[in-house]
Amino acid sequence: MGQEIERKFLVKDDSYKLEAYAHSHIVQGYICSACGRTVRVRIRDNKGYLTIKGASNDSGTSRYEWEKEISLQEAEELMKLCEPGVIDKIRYLVKSGEHIFEVDEFYGENEGLTVAEVELNSEDELFKKPHFIEKEVTGDIRYYNSFLMKNPYTRW
């Protein structure tokens, strides 16, 4: 059980695809998307995950996160219990300095949105921003997946 510390950015072009060393397809839903806590079911390629997240701190940089791998069959069954709306995205992994940026290209009702996240060990940890990074949106609730599920990007 740990603390997730991450920063989130908009992406200005698709050059990250050429720099990515891996990518995967992610479909996820939310059993609970209440303010201050979420319970997420994720299918990433052929694996399932159950994740519980707590409320973010004031800056939106840090929050409690617990994740457990579950079987694909369990994840598919739990997806049936999720609230309406689904997140569908391709995640690209791009190394920048000592860090890995997870670049999510959204599909479906969030088509046109691409967001990059970097996980850190502390809130003040320095990192090298890749050239495709644009505006920082850390703490902007509109870019939380649980918000995008209910208020898709294409409706903004």
Side-chain angles (χ1 to χ4, degrees), residues 10-135:
L10 295 178
V11 173
K12 61 183 170 187
D13 61 44
D14 67 355
S15 62
Y16 59 89
K17 292 180 182 180
L18 296 173
E19 299 174 38
Y21 67 86
H23 69 280
S24 56
H25 182 230
I26 296 173
V27 176
Q28 65 190 43
Y30 289 83
I31 292 173
C32 173
S33 62
C35 186
R37 64 190 151 302
T38 60
V39 179
R40 177 183 75 201
V41 179
R42 173 179 279 176
I43 297 173
R44 183 174 185 162
D45 293 331
N46 293 312
K47 293 185 177 184
Y49 301 89
L50 183 63
T51 307
I52 300 170
K53 294 187 179 195
S56 295
N57 65 357
D58 290 341
S59 69
T61 307
S62 179
R63 65 182 166 175
Y64 171 83
E65 178 183 61
W66 176 89
E67 184 169 80
K68 175 137 176 103
E69 186 173 336
I70 59 177
S71 73
L72 179 59
Q73 182 181 359
E74 289 170 320
E76 289 170 341
E77 288 298 315
L78 288 172
M79 287 291 281
K80 295 173 188 174
L81 300 176
C82 289
E83 299 172 359
V86 68
I87 297 293
D88 185 9
K89 59 189 178 181
I90 301 289
R91 172 166 289 169
Y92 296 86
L93 301 180
V94 179
K95 188 160 177 54
S96 179
E98 299 298 313
H99 294 87
I100 307 283
F101 279 75
E102 297 175 339
V103 182
D104 290 342
E105 182 179 354
F106 290 84
Y107 296 97
E109 289 193 285
N110 289 298
E111 183 92 29
L113 177 62
T114 305
V115 176
E117 298 177 351
V118 61
E119 290 204 16
L120 304 170
N121 293 312
S122 67
E123 290 191 30
D124 58 353
E125 182 177 351
L126 298 177
F127 59 92
K128 180 182 174 192
K129 287 184 190 174
H131 62 89
F132 54 80
I133 292 299
E134 199 170 37
K135 176 184 171 189

